[in-house]
Amino acid sequence: MNKIAQIFETLEYGPAPEAADQAIAWLDQHERRFGHFINGEWTEPGTTFTTDNPVTGEKLADLTEGTPADIDLAVNAARAAFGPWSALSGYERGKYLYAIARAIQKHSRLFSVLETLDNGKPIRESRDIDIPLVARHFYHHAGWAQHLQREFPDHVPYGICGQIIPWNFPLLMLAWKIAPALAAGNTVILKPAEFTSLTALLFAEICQRIGLPKGVVNIVTGQGETGQAIVAHPGVDKIAFTGSTEVGKAIRIATAGTGKGLSLELGGKSPYIVFEDADIDSAIEGIVDAIWFNQGQVCCAGSRLLVQESIEERFITKLKKRMATLRVGDPLDKSVDIGAMVASVQVERIRDLMARGAAEGAVVYEPDNMTLPGAGCFLKPALITNVSPANTLVAEEIFGPVLVAMSFRTPEEAVALANNTKYGLAATIWSENINLALDIAPKIKAGVVWVNGTNNFDAAVGFGGYKESGFGREGGREGMSAYLKPKWEKDLQPSSSSHGEPVEPRERAADPLDTPLDQTAKMYIGGKQARPDSGYSRPVLSPTGETIGEVGEGNRKDIRNAVEAARAALGWSTTSAHSRAQILYFLAENLDYRRDEFARRIKAQTGEDGTEEVALSVERLFAFAGWADKYDGAVHNPPLRAIAAAMVEPLGVLGIVAPPSRPLLGSIALLAPALAMGNTVVLVPSAQSPLSITDLYQVIETSDVPSGVVNIVTGDSATLAKTLAEHDGVDGLWFAGDAQTSAMVEKASAGNLKQTWTSRGLHYDLTDRRFEGDYFLAKATQVKNVWIPYGA
Ligand code: NDP
């Protein structure tokens, strides 16, 4: 043992091991073999696989491979439990969540040691971050359960939620999924990751002990196929997934057309931006938390360092010095910073990626004074320099202790580099200049932005991604709404629109109304009338089959032009909400001036008196003009020295394929909320009755709507919907029409994981005033949480 004087000399740490005996005893008590936890009971172990300690490689336990039959059992249990559980008062459900939180706190040491044994993360992190946050989630959601009726009136739970989680924060991801689902009144089937199921099984025991009704929580262990079986099961009403973008896309495709709810929390490649006026020492400590927290196995890890050129050299030198002091080793040692990677396959994967990056010219730095334990899944912290944006290590999510550094000159360049990724999960900004930091935050396309801090999480603050980092939020109000849906949705009937049926063409009408024979209504792209690329047009028929006009037959090229125009007009998103409201009011006013003409046009296309539809369209524009400056964010008070500003942002470019019926209102009801929230739109009007919308561009032109904010492409709805769904420049897509095309839209949207809303062949009565509210506003927006230091 060192003498005190010697310790002062070297300042070296002595060993500080956490005892594992309690956790080992728990495993032994179960004879290190586990079945599933279904309907409040343990099943007999079936075909098993092992879960190992990544430090020693020793087997910790045998776990059961979940089969489709097991999933059937779990779905039946969850279904039987759903009725009584969702019928409990929010207060009663809240008490169960509270009891879970208390029990987790009481057993926090056992949970943290077990987590560290199974996952390899430092005990410091499982003890001080993961498990306390788990308890916080259950406490927070106990409150939501109780206040549900007041805060989400006329909403109901989905039913059975299938929840699939990864191995990087095993119990924390479980809590993020189970707490809101239960608070909302759902029952769940959760599959932990194959490498890290143990704390989920201990959690199952907690559910048993606190007397949670049987079947409310079911835990089925297994590998990818078990996850697939949950996703595919027709009895599951919603899927919540956290994991890789690749599997997220596969799940998007698998659930397309099923009507299952879906939220995806996927990968990231988050920028960590350091400006020259940053407090450099703090920013360096921040990096340690950003990329070496949990060995870098963090979806929102600050894995791309962007440092201003003027301080680059000094910063990198300091960083290397700090890296050399990090302690890699036994994660059960309380003074270890970096523990073990979860499994050897991850170590291999990371080494392969680093070798690829090096072959492409990257320079790899690893502290040379550092010795790794002789065995186990350990990696040194690494810093990568000399990379271009195209280098594999810059583009790919590494999911390991590897930081990639690049420099920038100006704030604009920092933003461009930060956003140059298919991901959009999180970002960190370091600057002592509040003006600069809060100028950059809205420009970053990411669901979470930390200012002068990093990797902060809280149950009251939503977490989730933009772009290919997924959709849906976990935590806070947005996280709760991901487990609820409007009550009326279950009563929707299949659409039987009389205007949806094709009619046989007949001779041209005697009164051609406003469209002379030789005139084809143009499309409207980038503020200009546009002829269709194909040169073809399609007839518009009256209900009795007479041709009453023609419109362009839009194709892929027209959609591409329209998307390009809509992207160029994205400045609309930063126009003040007040201005957007004024423009929508102006649109309404100008439409109202021409109400008779629009009413006649509706009659010509549908045979029905259009007066009411025009009046409703004007009213709808008014309604969303009213919302433009009211549907906004909130400020959260997490238990940290910070506030989180939840900012409501538009999706970006939204494709809207309007329903066949209601030629004017069908488009306006969808267009108005999209515009109010700052999206630019490519609108495909009703294929049968497009003239009300081709007439509309004259109103748009006289209402100060900037060029490119609304683009109109006429043609076949399904064909144009497919092109929109496949287009990577489209951020969201709404399709109102038949079930088959809806399924196609959802499937094809997986390419860039655009957010979709489809009517799935159901009749959404858009005349109903329920659509004047937040239903479409929520779908037109995503919430960005900006964490800002605040208070003492
Ligand atoms: P996956 O996305 O493969 O796994 C996440 C969860 O989904 C696990 O429970 C997994 O089961 C399950 N799963 C796998 N395939 C399917 C499927 N087809 N249908 C339904 N469920 C499925 O992540 P990995 O664990 O394989 O890690 C691979 C990479 O993903 C990492 O290196 C990292 O880059 C990234 N990742 C990102 C995470 C994030 O939070 N964003 C978290 C974890 C990983 P099982 O574990 O048994 O395979």
Side-chain angles (χ1 to χ4, degrees):
M1 187 61 110
N2 285 341
K3 293 213 165 71
I4 290 180
Q6 281 174 317
I7 293 173
F8 269 107
E9 198 66 31
T10 61
L11 280 183
E12 269 186 7
Y13 293 82
E18 175 76 35
D21 47 352
Q22 262 194 40
I24 299 293
W26 179 78
L27 288 170
D28 289 341
Q29 201 186 315
H30 286 270
E31 294 169 353
R32 299 194 179 227
R33 268 173 84 73
F34 292 86
H36 309 301
F37 181 72
I38 296 176
N39 204 24
E41 278 151 27
W42 295 99
T43 64
E44 280 302 313
T47 309
T48 56
F49 60 98
T50 66
T51 188
D52 306 328
N53 179 339
V55 175
T56 59
E58 283 164 16
K59 179 172 95 175
L60 290 169
D62 287 307
L63 306 176
T64 296
E65 188 79 70
T67 63
D70 295 326
I71 305 299
D72 265 343
L73 261 186
V75 170
N76 289 341
R79 181 64 59 201
F82 175 67
W85 176 250
S86 56
L88 281 183
S89 73
Y91 174 50
E92 290 302 324
R93 280 202 306 276
K95 283 197 286 187
Y96 283 111
L97 291 171
Y98 177 76
I100 292 175
R102 295 279 292 135
I104 284 169
Q105 276 183 321
K106 272 193 230 161
H107 300 284
S108 59
R109 186 155 174 273
L110 173 58
F111 269 112
S112 19
V113 174
L114 192 61
E115 197 77 301
T116 287
L117 280 177
D118 204 13
N119 168 282
K121 62 172 65 198
I123 186 75
R124 238 167 14 94
E125 292 176 7
S126 47
R127 182 196 61 196
D128 299 345
I129 298 170
D130 291 46
I131 308 305
L133 267 175
V134 169
R136 162 102 182 110
H137 265 264
F138 281 99
Y139 280 128
H140 178 79
H141 286 91
W144 275 121
Q146 187 163 4
H147 298 303
L148 199 71
Q149 294 300 322
R150 239 181 316 275
E151 291 296 307
F152 295 93
D154 302 321
H155 277 69
V156 290
Y158 273 88
I160 317 294
C161 296
Q163 307 186 313
I164 300 163
I165 56 171
W167 40 258
N168 52 348
F169 293 92
L171 193 69
L172 185 56
M173 290 302 106
L174 172 150
W176 282 23
K177 299 266 178 298
I178 290 188
L182 261 47
N186 300 279
T187 55
V188 306
I189 299 155
L190 178 129
K191 188 196 91 64
E194 61 172 300
F195 296 136
T196 55
S197 300
L198 293 177
T199 47
L201 297 170
L202 176 57
F203 177 83
E205 220 170 82
I206 293 283
C207 293
Q208 241 176 354
R209 271 200 224 165
I210 63 128
L212 189 73
K214 291 180 174 196
V216 170
V217 167
N218 303 277
I219 309 278
V220 179
T221 52
Q223 311 194 24
E225 294 77 41
T226 310
Q228 264 172 324
I230 295 177
V231 171
H233 200 291
V236 172
D237 303 303
K238 171 179 166 123
I239 298 292
F241 171 79
T242 298
S244 60
T245 293
E246 189 191 343
V247 174
K249 287 184 179 181
I251 292 178
R252 167 68 292 191
I253 289 169
T255 54
T258 62
K260 285 182 185 162
L262 181 62
S263 43
L264 299 173
E265 200 269 275
L266 310 175
K269 190 77 191 180
S270 300
Y272 187 100
I273 310 170
V274 184
F275 286 100
E276 60 189 1
D277 62 0
D279 170 349
I280 292 187
D281 290 324
S282 299
I284 297 270
E285 282 316 300
I287 288 215
V288 172
D289 289 339
I291 185 67
W292 293 304
F293 171 51
N294 203 19
Q295 296 70 249
Q297 303 168 128
V298 182
C299 49
C300 54
S303 53
R304 278 189 302 144
L305 168 65
L306 305 174
V307 57
Q308 197 152 15
E309 201 177 70
S310 49
I311 57 163
E312 184 186 9
E313 209 181 309
R314 187 153 64 102
F315 194 85
I316 296 288
T317 307
K318 274 199 166 212
L319 180 57
K320 286 181 176 170
K321 213 168 146 192
R322 179 66 178 95
M323 285 169 74
T325 66
L326 290 169
R327 305 187 77 236
V328 185
D330 181 0
L332 276 176
D333 186 323
K334 287 172 223 145
S335 47
V336 148
D337 300 305
I338 300 180
M341 309 301 295
V342 73
S344 54
V345 358
Q346 282 301 108
V347 175
E348 299 298 313
R349 196 182 148 268
I350 292 161
R351 288 208 174 117
D352 282 355
L353 279 170
M354 284 172 69
R356 262 169 65 193
E360 292 165 22
V363 173
V364 179
Y365 167 80
E366 289 173 346
D368 46 19
N369 64 335
M370 197 174 271
T371 42
L372 297 182
C377 304
F378 293 97
L379 283 172
K380 285 185 183 180
L383 172 67
I384 311 290
T385 52
N386 198 38
V387 283
S388 75
N391 189 289
T392 302
L393 296 174
V394 179
E396 297 288 318
E397 182 180 40
I398 302 172
F399 228 64
V402 184
L403 177 67
V404 185
M406 295 170 82
S407 66
F408 65 88
R409 288 194 178 155
T410 61
E412 293 71 35
E413 204 186 331
V415 171
L417 282 170
N419 287 335
N420 183 23
T421 166
K422 62 186 178 183
Y423 298 113
L425 195 50
T428 303
I429 302 168
W430 286 85
S431 167
E432 290 298 291
N433 179 348
I434 190 170
N435 291 317
L436 178 63
L438 297 185
D439 177 49
I440 300 297
K443 294 180 179 154
I444 306 284
K445 301 281 173 235
V448 185
V449 176
W450 292 290
V451 174
N452 292 337
T454 202
N455 271 343
N456 298 135
F457 310 102
D458 184 51
V461 185
F463 181 91
Y466 281 27
K467 304 198 282 186
E468 293 190 27
S469 291
F471 45 75
R473 295 287 178 267
E474 298 190 290
R477 173 178 286 276
E478 302 95 76
M480 276 307 294
S481 66
Y483 284 97
L484 292 160
K485 55 182 186 178
K487 209 176 194 165
W488 51 260
E489 274 192 355
K490 70 174 189 336
D491 300 323
L492 289 172
Q493 298 300 317
S495 187
S496 58
S497 163
S498 56
H499 318 303
E501 302 304 320
V503 285
E504 286 301 311
R506 288 184 21 198
E507 284 186 0
R508 175 165 280 275
D511 170 14
L513 195 73
D514 304 314
T515 313
L517 256 183
D518 57 349
Q519 190 189 338
T520 300
K522 306 284 185 306
M523 300 192 285
Y524 184 64
I525 296 177
K528 294 196 190 84
Q529 295 185 40
R531 288 177 199 287
D533 167 69
S534 67
Y536 295 117
S537 57
R538 51 194 281 135
V540 180
L541 307 179
S542 74
T544 47
E546 294 138 344
T547 302
I548 53 169
E550 290 186 15
V551 293
E553 186 73 80
N555 68 10
R556 180 173 288 270
K557 180 89 190 303
D558 300 309
I559 292 286
R560 276 214 301 266
N561 292 340
V563 172
E564 202 177 309
R567 289 221 80 79
L570 276 172
W572 176 249
S573 65
T574 51
T575 309
S576 77
H578 173 72
S579 300
R580 292 198 302 267
Q582 297 309 299
I583 288 172
L584 285 173
Y585 279 128
F586 202 17
L587 254 177
E589 191 185 321
N590 287 332
L591 178 61
D592 197 38
Y593 277 133
R594 299 174 59 174
R595 57 183 173 268
D596 295 342
E597 174 196 332
F598 272 87
R600 281 167 58 217
R601 186 64 109 182
I602 291 170
K603 186 161 174 59
Q605 295 173 102
T606 66
E608 285 165 21
D609 181 7
T611 317
E612 196 202 347
E613 186 176 331
V614 178
L616 271 171
S617 300
V618 171
E619 188 179 335
R620 200 57 59 90
L621 285 165
F622 254 70
F624 286 105
W627 273 121
D629 59 357
K630 293 173 195 65
Y631 189 76
D632 55 12
V635 176
H636 302 301
N637 294 282
L640 293 166
R641 197 196 141 246
I643 50 170
M647 303 301 296
V648 175
E649 295 192 345
L651 296 185
V653 173
L654 197 55
I656 296 179
V657 182
S661 60
R662 299 277 175 196
L664 182 64
L665 182 70
S667 285
I668 296 281
L670 304 178
L671 182 66
L675 294 181
M677 292 294 100
N679 297 280
T680 60
V681 173
V682 177
L683 173 65
V684 177
S686 158
Q688 284 90 338
S689 316
L691 298 175
S692 298
I693 295 302
T694 52
D695 288 349
L696 194 70
Y697 66 69
Q698 295 154 11
V699 180
I700 293 172
E701 270 174 350
T702 52
S703 305
D704 295 344
V705 180
S707 303
V709 168
V710 181
N711 305 278
I712 299 165
V713 179
T714 50
D716 179 66
S717 299
T719 310
L720 299 178
K722 182 157 193 290
T723 306
L724 282 166
E726 287 169 349
H727 198 307
D728 282 354
V730 177
D731 303 299
L733 179 55
W734 295 351
F735 173 81
D738 64 275
Q740 200 186 348
T741 313
S742 295
M744 177 277 290
V745 160
E746 290 176 2
K747 204 168 185 173
S749 72
N752 68 343
L753 282 173
K754 56 178 69 65
Q755 305 197 24
T756 57
W757 170 81
T758 62
S759 69
R760 300 190 301 112
L762 299 171
H763 178 56
Y764 282 73
D765 178 8
L766 294 173
T767 63
D768 195 310
R769 288 197 170 75
R770 67 164 61 109
F771 295 112
E772 279 183 5
D774 62 359
Y775 185 74
F776 285 116
L777 291 170
K779 297 180 194 322
T781 52
Q782 50 198 339
V783 177
K784 171 191 278 177
N785 275 282
V786 182
W787 290 68
I788 307 161
Y790 186 83

